[in-house]
Amino acid sequence: MQIRDLPYSDPGDPDVRSGPRFLVWLGRSQLTGQLKSLAWGLLHHCAIAGLPLAVGLAVQAVIDRSGQDLARAGVLLVLLGVLIAVGDTMLHRTAVTNWITAAARVQQLLARRTAELGSALTRRVAAGEVVSVSTGDVEKIGWFVEALSRFAAAATALVLICVGLVIYLPSLGVLVAVATPVLALAVLPLLPRATRRADLQREKAGRATELASDTVAGLRVLRGIGGEELFLARYRRASQEVRRAAVRSARMWALISAIQVLLPGLLLISLVWYGATLARDGRIEIGQLVTVYSAATLMLFPLRNVEEIAMAYSFSRPSAQRAVRVLSLRRTAGPSTLDAVRPQGDLYDPVTGLMAPQGRFTAVVCGDPDEAGRLAERLGGHAEPGDASAPLPSVLLGGVALDELPLGTARTAVLVQDKDPVLLSGTLRELLEVPSSGGVTAEEALDAAQCGDVLDALAQASVEVDGDPMNTRITERGRSLSGGQRQRLALARSLVTDPEALVLDEPTSAVDSHTEARVAAGVQRLRRGRTTVAFASSPLLLDLADRVVLVHGGTVVAAGSHRELLRDEPRYRAVVTRDSDGGSTAADGLAAADRLPPARTIEEIEERA
């Protein structure tokens, strides 16, 4: 796999039983690249290992005053230099390719799982953790895959060098062969502690960053209540904790670096002292001493790969575990068994008994907002699976289980808009350029969502093309807009998609009653003939619905029109009128509603608002 061939047509089915198993699967998936890197690494390290022999031959040739032997040594040095340059270049090229392709594979797997789970993902895993996995953790995992092939080449080269030295000069070669494993393994006991300290530092830094982000986002509110100094003190404490954690982590890594310098130095000193003694006694030649000393010196380079793979594994193992936590999440209990046929019909949830008739506007009232959010996700096929031994039945659309549909078909058929939708940065035109049926234009959707004031505000802020609001850039998460403006733009985006069934969770919770009435009427008009489900408790919206359903305790307990339920169902009155005991306030509201005919025009709705 080359970088130019990315992305993968199929990133594969990962082993998510544990972090180490995932790393093994990833390395196995990159086997071709690993073998290429191993081959070039062996060429590079073996060429380096040949330098001491050539240098020793040259020294001995000078001592023996042999010009012919010196010329041979010079030719060998040139040849080894060329091999080192080629091997190093290609090793770096293939290793970096392994890094990038492995990181791209993990990112594709994460993107596929995110698209499969949709909005249910952040209910199972924190959004910050998903971002952390797809950025920092992906790099650490890629680092391990990249270092693995270089380590294999270095370890093979170390074994070959030690064996060669033992054969070439046993008296000094045995000393090097015994000392090499000690040098390679000396720092391993310290790595887990160093990794824990580094993880603690990153965790504290993440908390400080999150606190700073929240403070900046709520700065306007903080100034209004005089809370700037309080949050500044909190951030100051968090920042000092990060500093202390960074110092503790740096001390441990400094100790590891000191050991990596000290032990090889002791080996070289011992080697020179013992070798000089042998040369003085005439037991070895000067050229042999130079050869062994040079080989031992150059062995320090592949030894660093041994230390690097230990560090890479220590950092990548928790990163892989976090990636596995996301990748192990599943949308359904089983694979798709149906062809990509877009179903039509009633939307039915067998768990709660909720039925949304095809082509009608159904409002759902829940006393518990969290229960409403979970039910909205279930209707879109995003719900978290139940116990594996007794899985929850899937929502049905036209009698077809959403879990049995291909993912793309299910997403096209049913769209769920959260109560807190996210606006991506970009222009308004880009925001509304989403996959759709083509039956609803952006202008129609914006009009139905009552975005006129939003367009005016964007036009005034636009400095690009003649004040065209469609070309005005929207900041990240729409922070430059009010909550009501963000909510209406998100609603317009949902309306543009024109799905077979649209599920809205509190679509007008952030707007005033006047705007709410107009939005409700606009949605009803634009979605006529389409299945629409709105979770709400506002009488203005409920009075427009063709059918209202009351869900209590996870089950549908009543259904009918808004006026019928207001009259006959005390629990419905308690939720809609905010009257916990269902007393005179609810009765007065019902009496007032009965004196008026149902409102069906925007003008009538505005009057009552």
Side-chain angles (χ1 to χ4, degrees):
M1 184 69 178
Q2 299 297 321
I3 296 175
R4 62 173 175 268
D5 299 325
L6 294 175
Y8 290 95
S9 57
D10 179 14
D13 187 17
D15 186 344
V16 294
R17 288 176 291 177
S18 67
R21 288 178 183 270
F22 177 70
L23 291 175
V24 171
W25 173 86
L26 196 58
R28 211 167 47 237
S29 302
Q30 307 272 133
L31 186 58
T32 301
Q34 295 289 341
L35 292 177
K36 288 181 181 178
S37 217
L38 174 61
W40 290 114
L42 282 175
L43 175 63
H44 174 63
H45 288 299
C46 290
I48 291 178
L51 287 176
L53 177 61
V55 172
L57 291 175
V59 171
Q60 194 62 44
V62 172
I63 294 175
D64 297 340
R65 299 181 181 277
S66 172
Q68 188 176 4
D69 290 343
L70 184 61
R72 290 196 189 98
V75 172
L76 181 58
L77 281 171
V78 172
L79 177 61
L80 290 175
V82 173
L83 293 178
I84 290 172
V86 173
D88 191 22
T89 301
M90 296 307 297
L91 172 61
H92 179 75
R93 180 185 178 91
T94 53
V96 171
T97 300
N98 288 338
W99 185 337
I100 295 176
T101 52
R105 186 187 296 273
V106 178
Q107 286 179 326
Q108 280 189 247
L109 291 171
L110 291 169
R112 184 172 66 180
R113 185 66 68 235
T114 301
E116 180 180 329
L117 294 171
S119 61
L121 175 64
T122 52
R123 287 190 177 271
R124 305 190 204 178
V125 181
E129 182 173 351
V130 177
V131 174
S132 175
V133 170
S134 61
T135 53
D137 288 332
V138 164
E139 290 189 5
K140 293 182 180 64
I141 294 172
W143 176 30
F144 173 76
V145 174
E146 179 260 348
L148 186 60
S149 55
R150 291 193 288 107
F151 160 72
T156 305
L158 284 173
V159 172
L160 293 176
I161 294 172
C162 289
V163 172
L165 288 178
V166 171
I167 295 174
Y168 176 73
L169 191 63
S171 55
L172 291 181
V174 171
L175 174 62
V176 176
V178 172
T180 298
V182 177
L183 296 179
L185 303 177
V187 299
L188 292 186
L190 299 176
L191 286 177
R193 181 179 298 180
T195 304
R196 286 195 297 271
R197 291 189 179 185
D199 287 339
L200 179 62
Q201 176 195 351
R202 285 194 296 272
E203 180 182 350
K204 291 184 177 296
R207 291 177 182 174
T209 302
E210 183 178 356
L211 179 60
S213 177
D214 290 343
T215 303
V216 171
L219 189 59
R220 184 182 303 175
V221 178
L222 291 176
R223 286 177 176 172
I225 62 176
E228 303 102 314
E229 291 300 326
L230 174 62
F231 275 78
L232 180 61
R234 290 181 180 177
Y235 180 75
R236 186 180 293 112
R237 288 194 297 270
S239 178
Q240 290 301 313
E241 290 180 3
V242 174
R243 182 189 61 79
R244 286 191 290 269
V247 170
R248 293 184 70 247
S249 178
R251 286 173 179 168
M252 182 56 67
W253 289 112
L255 176 60
I256 291 175
S257 298
I259 293 175
Q260 292 174 345
V261 173
L262 175 63
L263 294 184
L266 293 177
L267 171 63
L268 294 178
I269 292 173
S270 302
L271 187 64
V272 170
W273 176 80
Y274 183 55
T277 302
L278 294 178
R280 184 190 61 190
D281 297 340
R283 298 166 60 183
I284 63 173
E285 297 178 351
I286 297 298
Q288 291 178 318
L289 174 59
V290 172
T291 299
V292 175
Y293 175 80
S294 301
T297 303
L298 293 177
M299 282 177 62
L300 301 181
F301 178 72
L303 275 172
R304 292 179 181 177
N305 292 110
V306 179
E307 298 160 359
E308 182 190 13
I309 192 63
M311 293 173 60
Y313 180 74
S314 298
F315 280 103
S316 64
R317 185 177 57 81
S319 295
Q321 194 60 47
R322 286 190 288 268
V324 163
R325 193 178 304 127
V326 177
L327 295 176
S328 61
L329 300 176
R330 288 291 184 269
R331 171 186 172 235
T332 63
S336 171
T337 58
L338 298 179
D339 294 331
V341 178
R342 187 171 178 176
Q344 296 181 347
D346 298 338
L347 186 63
Y348 176 67
D349 176 26
V351 176
T352 60
L354 173 61
M355 168 71 76
Q358 181 183 11
R360 301 185 67 186
F361 185 8
T362 302
V364 181
V365 176
C366 293
D368 183 1
D370 292 334
E371 182 182 12
R374 290 191 295 268
L375 180 52
E377 289 182 354
R378 272 195 55 76
L379 292 179
H382 298 283
E384 185 173 359
D387 184 22
S389 60
L392 298 176
S394 172
V395 170
L396 307 176
L397 180 61
V400 179
L402 288 181
D403 286 350
E404 296 180 1
L405 289 171
L407 181 61
T409 305
R411 292 292 181 267
T412 304
V414 183
L415 174 67
V416 179
Q417 177 178 302
D418 290 341
K419 66 177 64 178
D420 186 21
V422 175
L423 300 182
L424 302 179
S425 58
T427 65
L428 179 57
R429 192 183 309 279
E430 293 170 342
L431 176 69
L432 299 178
E433 287 179 351
V434 292
S436 64
S437 67
V440 177
T441 66
E443 291 73 16
E444 292 173 337
L446 290 168
D447 179 64
Q450 300 301 308
C451 295
D453 63 317
V454 184
L455 296 177
D456 292 340
L458 292 176
Q460 293 177 2
S462 176
V463 293
E464 295 182 2
V465 184
D466 298 330
D468 185 358
M470 299 299 291
N471 293 328
T472 304
R473 293 195 65 80
I474 298 174
T475 57
E476 181 186 1
R477 301 181 69 91
R479 295 191 188 278
S480 59
L481 304 172
S482 68
Q485 290 174 330
R486 288 195 299 269
Q487 191 175 58
R488 281 176 285 157
L489 284 181
L491 176 59
R493 179 179 57 187
S494 299
L495 294 174
V496 166
T497 61
D498 191 32
E500 179 65 28
L502 177 60
V503 180
L504 305 172
D505 189 4
E506 295 288 352
T508 58
S509 59
V511 300
D512 57 78
S513 58
H514 176 81
T515 306
E516 179 182 33
R518 296 178 64 89
V519 170
V523 171
Q524 185 205 37
R525 181 184 68 254
L526 193 63
R527 292 287 300 172
R528 186 171 290 116
R530 293 288 204 183
T531 305
T532 306
V533 181
F535 288 80
S537 59
S538 168
L540 290 171
L541 190 148
L542 297 173
D543 196 37
L544 282 175
D546 299 319
R547 185 169 182 264
V548 181
V549 178
L550 175 64
V551 177
H552 182 76
T555 306
V556 172
V557 295
S561 69
H562 167 61
R563 293 165 179 275
E564 291 170 351
L565 295 178
L566 196 62
R567 181 180 60 247
D568 302 331
E569 180 54 58
R571 288 172 293 190
Y572 182 81
R573 286 199 303 270
V575 175
V576 173
T577 64
R578 311 313 197 260
D579 181 42
S580 58
D581 57 5
S584 58
T585 303
D588 293 343
L590 177 60
D594 284 338
R595 288 194 295 268
L596 294 172
R600 289 299 176 187
T601 66
I602 293 180
E603 290 74 14
E604 292 177 352
I605 294 172
E606 289 179 355
E607 259 182 56
R608 298 184 187 182

